[in-house]
Amino acid sequence: MELEPELLLQEARESVEAAQSYRRELGQRLQGLREARRQIKESASQTRDVLKQHFNDLKGTLGKLLDERLVTLLQEVDTIEQETIKPLDDCQKLIEHGVNTAEDLVQEGEIAILGGIGEQNEKLWNFTKKASHIQLDSLPEVPLLVDVPCLSAQLDDSILNIVKDHIFKHGTVASRPPVQIEELIEKPGGIIVRWCKVDDDFTAQDYRLQFRKCTSNHFEDVYVGSETEFIVLHIDPNVDYQFRVCARGDGRQEWSPWSVPQMGHSTLVPHEWTAGFEGYSLSSRRNIALRNDSESSGVLYSSAPTYFCGQTLTFRVETVGQPDRRDSIGVCAEKQNGYDSLQRDQAVCISTNGAVFVNGKEMTNQLPAVTSGSTVTFDIEAVTLGSTNNNEGGNFKLRVTISSNNREVVFDWLLEQSCCSLYFGCSFFYPGWKVLVF
């Protein structure tokens, strides 16, 4: 009976904790509702502004086009009028000149006739001589009304119905975009963005991905194509970025509304090649290495052991040079200077001819030859720690998967000591090879 108050107190405490937890959960849901309401309100306001701006621009453009067409047609009227009036003006001048000549001749003839016969014979003789030189029976030809232009405007009223039909169908309001970002996966110096369709009735032809730092007001295009996955590189570690995607329907020119922006970041240190190696030129971010014309040879290693088991290490061959069987792209437990290739102990690699080497030994299985645009990936997982029951001397076993050109090889790699972080490296004997690592 003495324990009952303690049990009641414990039960009361548990009830208070449960109520507090319940209150926190409800508070989070209220916050989610506030964010959902804010998204609806803000997107509705933005959509109204976009619609108003678009239709105002459309009205201005249509008005400008109609004014330009009106000016063109009026110029055509002016041109036809001027070109067809000129011959009539010339004919009018000729007729007016004939009228004046006839009036002068009439006046002169009447005077000569009033003088009678006799002393006026000379005036009559001069008048008749002058009249005989004027072609009083020659009349200029005046065109008939059916032979001269009668201008009119040909206007098709059906254009109003056509325009009305297009206007009534112009624009749509979507309650949600047809594509959404599905997943953001952090990579060293990059983020893999995956998206998917959420509208089954929408047939996508192309996708458009944009990103920006959260401190920026401007999104940048980073990918346009038909794939639904893309790795965005040049990501600074521990910096928040926003991503959004839209799609273009099959056979259409306009893009769909943007997806809801998603925020992501990478906590992984970017992979970098070691700077200052004579045989290789590096990009500003040191994630791209180009084999230059230097006669110096050897393995270009990473600046630090930044590859960890459980991650995916990717090499993308941007350009190629002349291949050599001693070429190598791979990972190793430690840097060892003095070697020309990763085809050595404590390293796994692939040669440019597709041969796979484990601790310096060539495997029977082989991958396709490396070409421009090839992507080589390494996935390594720890299998066992401690001593092994074999005579190979390894006490740390790793399961390695190397993939290239849609083919892969899987094998176990035995190391002499435990190693959770690895170096990566490459070696090429001829210039022209350029490799991006991420």
Side-chain angles (χ1 to χ4, degrees):
M1 295 295 293
E2 295 179 357
L3 295 177
E4 283 190 6
E6 295 182 3
L7 291 174
L8 288 174
L9 182 60
Q10 179 65 26
E11 185 176 348
R13 288 172 176 168
E14 292 176 354
S15 297
V16 170
E17 290 178 358
Q20 290 174 339
S21 176
Y22 183 63
R23 183 179 61 185
R24 285 194 299 270
E25 291 291 339
L26 290 177
Q28 292 175 358
R29 281 161 173 75
L30 283 175
Q31 179 63 26
L33 284 175
R34 284 192 289 269
E35 291 179 357
R37 184 185 299 275
R38 178 182 57 81
Q39 178 172 300
I40 294 174
K41 290 287 188 181
E42 290 183 357
S43 63
S45 177
Q46 291 174 357
T47 301
R48 291 189 191 97
D49 293 341
V50 169
L51 288 171
K52 291 177 183 178
Q53 184 63 45
H54 175 76
F55 276 85
N56 283 334
D57 293 343
L58 196 60
K59 283 193 292 186
T61 302
L62 287 175
K64 182 179 179 181
L65 292 174
L66 289 173
D67 290 341
E68 291 177 353
R69 182 57 180 164
L70 175 60
V71 169
T72 300
L73 292 174
L74 292 176
Q75 288 176 345
E76 290 185 15
V77 172
D78 294 341
T79 300
I80 295 174
E81 181 184 29
Q82 293 171 5
E83 290 178 351
T84 54
I85 283 293
K86 187 177 183 306
L88 299 183
D89 290 340
D90 294 340
C91 184
Q92 180 175 339
K93 291 179 182 179
L94 181 62
I95 291 175
E96 289 175 348
H97 176 72
V99 169
N100 293 332
T101 301
E103 287 180 352
D104 293 342
L105 190 62
V106 168
Q107 291 178 1
E108 186 177 343
E110 288 177 347
I111 293 173
I113 292 173
L114 289 176
I117 302 173
E119 59 184 16
Q120 298 295 334
N121 286 343
E122 185 177 354
K123 287 185 177 182
L124 288 172
W125 186 84
N126 289 334
F127 170 73
T128 54
K129 183 178 180 181
K130 181 178 180 181
S132 64
H133 286 86
I134 298 176
Q135 297 181 350
L136 297 177
D137 57 348
S138 176
L139 296 173
E141 184 176 353
V142 176
L144 300 177
L145 293 181
V146 295
D147 295 330
V148 296
C150 181
L151 279 67
S152 63
Q154 304 297 315
L155 301 174
D156 187 0
D157 292 337
S158 65
I159 190 175
L160 296 176
N161 293 327
I162 296 174
V163 172
K164 185 189 299 182
D165 183 58
H166 281 283
I167 289 176
F168 285 165
K169 295 179 180 178
H170 181 66
T172 58
V173 176
S175 60
R176 54 180 54 85
V179 292
Q180 293 284 9
I181 291 177
E182 184 179 29
E183 189 176 17
L184 298 174
I185 303 173
E186 64 175 346
K187 294 277 290 181
I191 294 178
I192 296 177
V193 185
R194 290 175 180 162
W195 56 89
C196 63
K197 285 198 315 172
V198 293
D199 185 353
D200 294 335
D201 297 328
F202 183 83
T203 302
Q205 176 180 327
D206 290 308
Y207 298 98
R208 180 182 178 188
L209 176 65
Q210 290 188 336
F211 85 116
R212 70 177 179 185
K213 287 184 177 180
C214 287
T215 56
S216 172
N217 295 323
H218 176 65
F219 277 96
E220 297 179 23
D221 283 333
V222 69
Y223 173 76
V224 175
S226 59
E227 300 296 327
T228 57
E229 176 182 312
F230 185 77
I231 179 168
V232 181
L233 298 174
H234 309 315
I235 295 294
D236 295 326
N238 301 310
V239 174
D240 289 331
Y241 291 83
Q242 278 191 325
F243 302 86
R244 67 181 185 179
V245 67
C246 65
R248 181 161 51 197
D250 190 19
R252 303 184 70 88
Q253 295 297 321
E254 72 277 7
W255 292 99
S256 74
W258 290 104
S259 66
V260 177
Q262 298 292 326
M263 188 168 64
H265 66 273
S266 176
T267 59
L268 304 177
V269 177
H271 292 316
E272 293 183 359
W273 300 102
T274 300
F277 195 81
E278 186 177 352
Y280 294 84
S281 303
L282 305 184
S283 63
S284 59
R285 287 181 175 262
R286 299 180 180 177
N287 59 343
I288 300 177
L290 172 65
R291 182 65 167 95
N292 55 36
D293 295 331
S294 172
E295 296 182 358
S296 176
S297 62
V299 178
L300 174 66
Y301 291 103
S302 58
S303 59
T306 53
Y307 174 63
F308 293 87
C309 294
Q311 298 178 355
T312 297
L313 179 67
T314 304
F315 300 92
R316 189 168 69 207
V317 179
E318 305 287 317
T319 61
V320 299
Q322 180 180 337
D324 188 284
R325 64 175 303 276
R326 297 168 294 176
D327 294 337
S328 62
I329 301 173
V331 296
C332 57
E334 58 185 15
K335 294 182 179 180
Q336 293 185 10
N337 297 322
Y339 286 90
D340 289 336
S341 174
L342 284 174
Q343 299 173 18
R344 60 166 175 83
D345 190 33
Q346 301 297 289
V348 294
C349 67
I350 177 176
S351 179
T352 52
N353 63 7
V356 177
F357 291 85
V358 183
N359 288 337
K361 297 180 181 180
E362 183 175 355
M363 293 185 60
T364 304
N365 294 335
Q366 186 168 331
L367 292 171
V370 176
T371 58
S372 180
S374 291
T375 298
V376 181
T377 62
F378 288 76
D379 289 278
I380 301 179
E381 296 180 358
V383 179
T384 59
L385 296 172
S387 61
T388 57
N389 296 323
N390 54 51
N391 296 322
E392 297 185 41
N395 61 0
F396 190 65
K397 182 188 291 186
L398 300 176
R399 179 67 47 81
V400 181
T401 302
I402 305 179
S403 303
S404 178
N405 296 330
N406 298 319
R407 288 181 56 186
E408 66 178 30
V409 292
V410 182
F411 54 90
D412 289 338
W413 178 26
L414 300 178
L415 295 178
E416 295 177 355
Q417 58 185 359
S418 63
C419 188
C420 293
S421 59
L422 301 168
Y423 291 89
F424 57 85
C426 69
S427 63
F428 302 101
F429 282 80
Y430 295 99
W433 292 91
K434 181 191 289 187
V435 180
L436 165 69
V437 62
F438 55 90

